[in-house]
Amino acid sequence: MKFLVLNVQEYNGRPTITVSRTHVDLVRKLFELEVPEIKNGEVLIQSVSREAGSRSKVAVYSRDENIDAKGACVGQRGQRVQRIMNELGDEKIDIIDWSEDDALFIKEALQPAVVTSVETEVFTREDGRVERHAKVVVPDNQYSLAIGRSGQNVRLAARLTGFRIDIKTESAAAEENSQALLDGFTVVEDSEN
């Protein structure tokens, strides 16, 4: 078994080593060991989110346009990613393409769900913290897939992208838009009566 060394300290004159198999960086390090393109810097892991023992999402980017970052991580017939999944006890791993375009990155992060549209908003609060919100619309039949079992897919996507993600179905978004349009009209009473 492989472990991630988190800390080495001296305790009562003896070295104490803290190791983890649940830390998010274990996934990153396993990819560095398994994928030569990551080890030599041609492919970068931009972000990782993980719920240990269940599922991870890894966002990758290639510095070389001739190298498919996702393909390099998956490997021929999925062998590279399969070895990592086996090491993690069959934890599922989603490999996605990282993008500088926040909307496109969020769309990728919510895979395997199909996303219709993404609107992002970034603002700074009075206390200086930056808030990042995304409103995502998905087809009605993709809603449960986008959310995932117990909200796992959207939670991992939110951690991966750094955005708070609100998901609505196309029918709910259309209804909301219709209501907003109706609210824009004012009722004028006839004063002649």
Side-chain angles (χ1 to χ4, degrees):
M1 290 181 89
K2 292 183 173 82
F3 295 89
L4 180 70
V5 176
L6 295 178
N7 195 359
V8 179
Q9 290 181 327
E10 191 171 314
Y11 182 73
N12 290 338
R14 299 177 132 184
T16 304
I17 302 171
T18 307
V19 296
S20 174
R21 284 192 47 85
T22 61
H23 197 278
V24 70
D25 282 341
L26 178 63
V27 174
R28 186 183 303 269
K29 295 297 182 185
L30 288 173
F31 270 96
E32 287 174 8
L33 289 172
E34 195 63 46
V35 182
E37 292 86 350
I38 291 175
K39 193 171 190 171
N40 66 25
E42 293 171 332
V43 172
L44 302 174
I45 297 176
Q46 293 294 102
S47 181
V48 178
S49 63
R50 181 178 188 208
E51 290 189 1
S54 183
R55 178 172 232 105
S56 293
K57 285 186 180 272
V58 180
V60 295
Y61 171 77
S62 177
R63 289 183 177 180
D64 184 345
E65 62 186 40
N66 296 323
I67 296 175
D68 174 20
K70 198 188 305 188
C73 292
V74 171
Q76 193 173 30
R77 294 189 308 264
Q79 289 177 335
R80 290 177 177 173
V81 74
Q82 189 60 52
R83 283 193 289 265
I84 295 168
M85 288 168 52
N86 291 343
E87 177 64 38
L88 296 174
D90 290 329
E91 181 175 311
K92 303 291 182 241
I93 299 176
D94 298 334
I95 301 170
I96 65 160
D97 289 317
W98 178 83
S99 174
E100 287 181 358
D101 179 347
D102 291 332
L104 183 59
F105 185 33
I106 292 166
K107 197 174 188 177
E108 287 283 320
L110 285 169
Q111 287 182 6
V114 175
V115 175
T116 305
S117 68
V118 178
E119 289 179 27
T120 60
E121 180 183 15
V122 179
F123 57 92
T124 306
R125 294 174 44 150
E126 291 175 8
D127 61 4
R129 289 188 302 160
V130 175
E131 294 275 333
R132 297 159 53 101
H133 295 267
K135 294 179 183 175
V136 176
V137 177
V138 297
D140 290 22
N141 65 347
Q142 295 285 304
Y143 183 73
S144 60
L145 191 58
I147 298 294
R149 182 176 290 145
S150 302
Q152 184 181 57
N153 194 51
V154 71
R155 240 186 351 264
L156 287 170
R159 279 190 229 140
L160 191 72
T161 61
F163 277 80
R164 181 172 163 246
I165 300 173
D166 297 319
I167 300 177
K168 291 187 175 149
T169 61
E170 288 176 339
S171 58
E175 188 175 309
E176 191 177 280
N177 290 342
S178 297
Q179 188 60 47
L181 183 64
L182 289 174
D183 291 345
F185 289 102
T186 57
V187 176
V188 179
E189 292 186 23
D190 190 5
S191 59
E192 292 180 7
N193 289 341

